[in-house]
Amino acid sequence: MSPRKAAVLRDGGGGQSLREHLISAAERLIALRGTVGLTVRDIAREAQVADGVLYNHFAGKEELLALALHAHVQTVERELGELPGKAGSGTVEANLHVYLTHGVALHTAILPAFAGLLGRPEVLALFAGMPSPVGDGLGLRAHLAGYLRTEQDLGRIAQGVSVEAAATMIVGACHELVLPPMLFDPTATSVQVPPGFVDDLVAIVMNGLRPVRTT
């Protein structure tokens, strides 16, 4: 007997292929309950297909989970809003605030899904081999470094300083704020940012980036 066609595809499905439908179903489950204990049967039930259908469209459960995780991260970032994309607009300080708050919120939202896969290195390896789902495909640190590099070309950041180091400091701060509490407490759903932390870190970074004014 052939597998039952997914109801959403029978009803039109918005132009999705069955492969895309399965990824969407897995992504919804990851967003709802994380990745711990997520089974093929869970995904099949969410997608309204027979359990074995996914093996006709993916090399295995690992590939489906990696693709669904990638889609989940993209969705989270899209919901957080755009990163500063045009150097020379606003102030560098304000734009760094956006990067830092965006980074903390992003890592807080997606870390539980990654933590649930620490025992599945094959899924994480497949995910790592895909284009970054954040920062317009560059990754948050590379996107920030590119922004700072352009600001440096415009003269709004001091010449000769390492924008790579500044970007690493900011993204590293996001990791430090989010990783320890959420990795060691599986029930944690949010991160407490110390009062004034964002302002203080941006000020420290800007002390190294600000052009020297000559009279």
Side-chain angles (χ1 to χ4, degrees):
M1 179 181 296
S2 60
R4 183 165 60 92
K5 189 175 182 180
V8 67
L9 299 184
R10 291 200 307 271
D11 297 336
Q16 278 191 324
S17 67
L18 184 52
R19 176 183 169 89
E20 292 166 338
H21 174 63
L22 290 166
I23 294 171
S24 295
E27 180 193 356
R28 286 195 300 274
L29 290 177
I30 290 174
L32 180 66
R33 49 171 279 189
T35 53
V36 176
L38 186 59
T39 67
V40 169
R41 177 167 293 183
D42 293 331
I43 298 170
R45 286 178 176 174
E46 177 67 20
Q48 301 180 44
V49 298
D51 292 358
V53 167
L54 75 86
Y55 296 104
N56 296 325
H57 299 274
F58 305 93
K61 176 185 174 183
E62 291 75 18
E63 183 188 12
L64 173 55
L65 284 178
L67 290 166
L69 182 62
H70 193 274
H72 171 61
V73 176
Q74 285 183 313
T75 298
V76 169
E77 189 190 38
R78 186 166 56 247
E79 291 174 348
L80 289 175
E82 294 184 2
L83 290 166
K86 185 177 181 181
S89 62
T91 66
V92 177
E93 290 94 333
N95 291 336
L96 290 182
H97 269 268
V98 174
Y99 272 103
L100 188 51
T101 55
H102 184 104
V104 171
L106 175 68
H107 285 84
T108 300
I110 67 176
L111 185 63
F114 284 90
L117 292 169
L118 292 180
R120 304 292 300 274
E122 64 277 18
V123 177
L124 297 176
L126 286 169
F127 177 89
M130 300 175 185
S132 175
V134 302
D136 297 327
L138 299 174
L140 185 62
R141 191 191 64 80
H143 192 282
L144 174 54
Y147 160 75
L148 291 174
R149 193 173 298 111
T150 306
E151 292 284 23
Q152 195 172 52
D153 293 340
L154 293 174
R156 299 215 300 171
I157 287 177
Q159 299 298 314
V161 301
S162 173
V163 297
E164 295 286 346
T168 298
M169 181 183 296
I170 290 174
V171 176
C174 297
H175 292 168
E176 176 61 25
L177 282 170
V178 176
L179 286 173
M182 298 198 75
L183 278 181
F184 295 117
D185 181 5
T187 65
T189 57
S190 63
V191 171
Q192 295 298 318
V193 179
F197 177 85
V198 173
D199 289 339
D200 290 345
L201 181 58
V202 169
I204 290 170
V205 174
M206 285 304 303
N207 280 339
L209 294 177
R210 189 172 286 113
V212 175
R213 301 299 182 186
T214 58
T215 58

